[in-house]
Amino acid sequence: MAHTITLIPGDGIGPEVADATRRVLEASGVAIDWEVHNAGAEVAEKRGTTLPEEVLESVRRNTIALKGPIGTPIGKGFKSVNVTLRQKLDLYANVRPVKSLPGLEPRFEGTDIVIVRENTEDLYAGLELMIMPGIAQSIKLITAQACTRICEYAFDYAERMGRKRVTVIHKANIMKLSDGLLLECFRKVAQRHPRVEPHEMIVDACALQMVKNANKIDVLVTENLYGDILSDLGAGLVGGLGIVPGANIGESAAVFEAVHGTAPDIAGKDLANPTALIQSAVMMLHHIGESRAAERIEASIIAHFREGGPRTPDLGGSASTREYTDALCKRVASA
Ligand code: ATP
């Protein structure tokens, strides 16, 4: 039976990478009925909102969405679609795999990190105020409930994916109460998962380790802001934003997305690298139980780069989005 999935192509290079991703999934043989809805800056111009209600309803109904990059019109009071989706659907876990691909000269061969980032609180809770002119305050909100939930997710994920170790990333030496609470929750959750080794690391030490020994790191679990920064550091280690996928997972819905922006500098020029969204779709296929199709696409991407297949300009090649996608589709269809 076909899966019904919401597709939000997005702005800028979004439609190009979304189209490429649909073609690759089709080549894998998986049956998907796409419910295409748009959201973002272009929609806001016509509809006065970046996220029309029917888009949210579609994701709620289908429980799974694939989303391209979305722009937020600046300075017009529009809320970011990404933030709104996370809040309205309570997508509390942001999962960002950082995996090296052969032939792309990653800093470390064999890098295979998964960053599990808490998505709902921390300095992103929006609790900011001007105490008086010249003095601003941001409140870092950390709750035991959110910490326990994200740590449970990370350990469950590690068990499900056959991972050995989960490391909590914190700065509890300075933020003794807030990050201390994360550590406390992590230790309790770890006791319930004896098959996975728990480990603790301070965030600055983690940044150093990622640059020096990325291939020794396994699953990381952390707060919103540290997760945001470490995820982009990770992307830089393995070939950039055109490569790395991401997912936002909740109890009742999951949104798989390219983590790069709308790349207005190359939009509409057939130059975008669709690999990030394709790899997000691979995560989505695993999530909906289509692991065979996921593995076919994964293996084809690896073989494509290992054997020196055409690359888009962000990876030092000269292939267009279409040429790269054509080559990948051919591989996937015969894998
Ligand atoms: P936004 O305001 O939407 O975040 P941005 O241009 O500030 O857009 P990104 O879209 O993430 O931020 O782009 C940063 C740089 O990386 C740009 O030069 C862009 O062309 C490049 N880039 C991002 N994603 C891709 C991609 N999928 N393929 C090729 N280049 C990309």
Side-chain angles (χ1 to χ4, degrees), residues 13 17 69-72 74 241-243 258-267 271-277 312-315:
I13 58 171
V17 294
I70 285 182
T72 308
I74 295 167
L241 291 171
I243 292 291
V259 297
H260 55 73
T262 57
D265 51 337
I266 55 167
L271 292 175
N273 184 354
T275 312
L277 193 63
T312 45
D314 58 306
L315 298 178

Side-chain angles (χ1 to χ4, degrees), residues 142-144 147 172 175-186:
I142 300 292
T143 67
C147 290
M175 276 156 282
K176 296 182 197 308
L177 297 181
S178 52
D179 285 19
L181 184 56
L182 169 66
L183 273 188
E184 203 181 291
C185 297
F186 175 82

